[in-house]
Amino acid sequence: MNAMNRKKFLQLSSLGLAGLSFRNPSPLSNKPIVISTWESGMQVNAEAWKVLSTNGKAIDAVETGARHIENELNCCVGLGGYPDRDGIVTLDACIMDEKSNCGAVAALEQIKHPVSVARKIMESTPHVLLAGAGAQQFALENGFTKEPATLSESADHAYRDWLKTSQYKPIINIENKKGNGPFAPAFFEDGSANHDTMGLIALDTKGDLSGAVTTSGMAFKLHGRVGDSPIIGAGLFVDNEAGAATSSGVGEEVIRICGTHLVVEFMRQGYSPELACKKAVERIVKRDPAKARELQVGFIAVNKKGQYGAYAIQKGFVYSVKTDQVNKVFDSKYLVEV
Ligand code: SD4
């Protein structure tokens, strides 16, 4: 290498662009690991970790984590979540394992653990996705009980507030803000746990990947609207050879690009989890840069080695990581400075 080429190589190296350095930068293995969307992922990770740290399976870990947050009645995942514009809470969830087995429910009403209904669909039917009344019927026939159709206190309050204007305008990162909006607010200072979509992905000690998502979806949505969360390849995708990814934010934008499938395919090509997420975000922004300034989407990803990363359209997306060494919330990098 002559001096000029060498200089150029070093410059590119420092940008992470030289040679094959877009591939996973470190050979380090990180097993087991669980990562989740938002700050509320900390408590979800803690539950999932109980399974992972005792050599349990990733699929059990992600279901356990998702069920934990669905139990929180004062939060916006599960039945405590914000309703649609007709005042009805409708839940979306999915789950996927290391063998590409998957199950999902959409627009499910009055059932406390949509993620477990999704798992039941995965394990005991030839189908992937059940929706609406049929999903509820399936749940009731399989031992789930019908819960009252009442709103949680915080959801009732937010809904009444929303009815004053009935304006539908997604608010960026409302998960991390106090206030009302079509996305449920996240943790409040008083400790109440209000937040939105929970997506989590895990790699177990055996080296198998799995993921789960659970949400009440966008608040004040049209009745019957289904977001990205229960759509395999949009809100969640797992490929045991390449990696796993999940998303949060405006589901329509994620569905349009088959977001998490795209992230996983980028990891298969050798991109690190962070760069894979970034490239998917770029796809959304490129389609309509002006619109992208008005919305938020964040992806998180883990590859087969347990390397992890995230990327969002704009500032404010955070994610939670738990390994033997790490137990913290990270700020996601982002593409658009608003
Ligand atoms: C949806 N992706 O229903 C969900 C909403 C969400 O943080 O993730 N909010 O479109």
Side-chain angles (χ1 to χ4, degrees):
M1 208 181 280
N2 66 31
M4 195 54 217
N5 282 346
R6 190 178 148 74
K7 191 170 168 217
K8 210 164 182 180
F9 178 82
L10 289 174
Q11 278 169 350
L12 287 172
S13 291
S14 69
L15 291 172
L17 296 172
L20 292 180
S21 60
F22 73 94
R23 291 175 187 274
N24 297 316
S26 110
L28 279 183
S29 177
N30 222 354
K31 275 190 305 189
I33 177 172
V34 55
I35 77 171
S36 309
T37 51
W38 304 109
E39 196 174 346
S40 48
M42 288 296 281
Q43 52 172 308
V44 166
N45 288 354
E47 292 304 308
W49 189 252
K50 289 178 190 165
V51 179
L52 292 172
S53 61
T54 49
N55 294 325
K57 286 174 69 65
I59 188 71
D60 295 323
V62 294
E63 186 189 7
T64 301
R67 283 178 66 92
H68 172 78
I69 205 77
E70 287 170 349
N71 269 330
E72 294 278 332
L73 267 191
N74 199 26
C75 91
C76 295
V77 166
L79 291 175
Y82 282 13
D84 62 22
R85 56 185 50 210
D86 295 345
I88 302 165
V89 176
T90 67
L91 304 176
D92 294 341
C94 72
I95 192 160
M96 189 165 189
D97 76 7
E98 77 282 0
K99 293 196 172 110
S100 300
N101 295 310
C102 45
V105 287
L108 176 64
E109 293 175 29
Q110 292 177 259
I111 301 290
K112 196 171 185 182
H113 289 299
V115 74
S116 295
V117 182
R119 184 161 184 182
K120 191 76 189 164
I121 292 167
M122 170 175 106
E123 289 178 344
S124 68
T125 81
H127 306 306
V128 168
L129 172 63
L130 294 182
Q136 191 192 61
Q137 182 187 333
F138 172 84
L140 298 177
E141 285 168 3
N142 282 279
F144 294 84
T145 45
K146 195 166 171 179
E147 306 289 334
T150 45
L151 295 181
S152 67
E153 210 182 308
S154 58
D156 187 53
H157 180 78
Y159 182 55
R160 282 170 199 275
D161 226 34
W162 178 79
L163 281 175
K164 289 179 196 155
T165 58
S166 300
Q167 197 200 10
Y168 183 70
K169 187 170 184 294
I171 297 174
I172 310 259
N173 300 321
I174 193 70
E175 290 89 345
N176 281 344
K177 289 177 185 160
K178 213 164 179 160
N180 300 316
F183 291 154
F187 276 84
F188 293 164
E189 282 101 51
D190 64 8
S192 57
N194 283 330
H195 60 86
D196 200 275
T197 301
M198 174 51 56
L200 67 160
I201 45 187
L203 177 71
D204 61 28
T205 45
K206 237 182 100 199
D208 285 332
L209 288 157
S210 292
V213 183
T214 186
T215 187
S216 51
M218 266 195 209
F220 318 132
K221 60 197 175 187
L222 282 179
H223 185 61
R225 178 264 187 191
V226 174
D228 57 327
S229 304
I231 310 292
I232 300 298
L236 175 71
F237 197 68
V238 177
D239 182 304
N240 213 38
E241 287 180 1
T246 186
S247 60
S248 186
V250 179
E252 284 74 2
E253 299 305 316
V254 179
I255 292 172
R256 250 188 268 286
I257 63 155
C258 296
T260 54
H261 182 261
L262 190 59
V263 171
V264 170
E265 287 306 304
F266 283 134
M267 288 193 284
R268 190 195 308 284
Q269 290 170 21
Y271 288 96
S272 68
E274 183 182 296
L275 273 182
C277 293
K278 182 181 184 194
K279 286 176 74 67
V281 168
E282 281 170 350
R283 203 60 81 84
I284 296 172
V285 173
K286 190 174 166 202
R287 195 183 76 84
D288 191 340
K291 187 175 172 198
R293 298 176 69 82
E294 305 285 310
L295 54 88
Q296 178 66 301
V297 168
F299 293 105
I300 62 174
V302 170
N303 67 14
K304 193 67 182 163
K305 292 178 185 164
Q307 294 166 323
Y308 57 88
Y311 228 89
I313 295 180
Q314 50 183 285
K315 194 174 176 175
F317 179 52
V318 299
Y319 64 107
S320 302
V321 177
K322 175 78 185 117
T323 71
D324 255 343
Q325 318 277 326
V326 181
N327 186 25
K328 68 180 269 201
V329 179
F330 288 90
D331 288 323
S332 169
K333 291 189 185 166
Y334 55 96
L335 202 63
V336 177
E337 198 69 64
V338 180

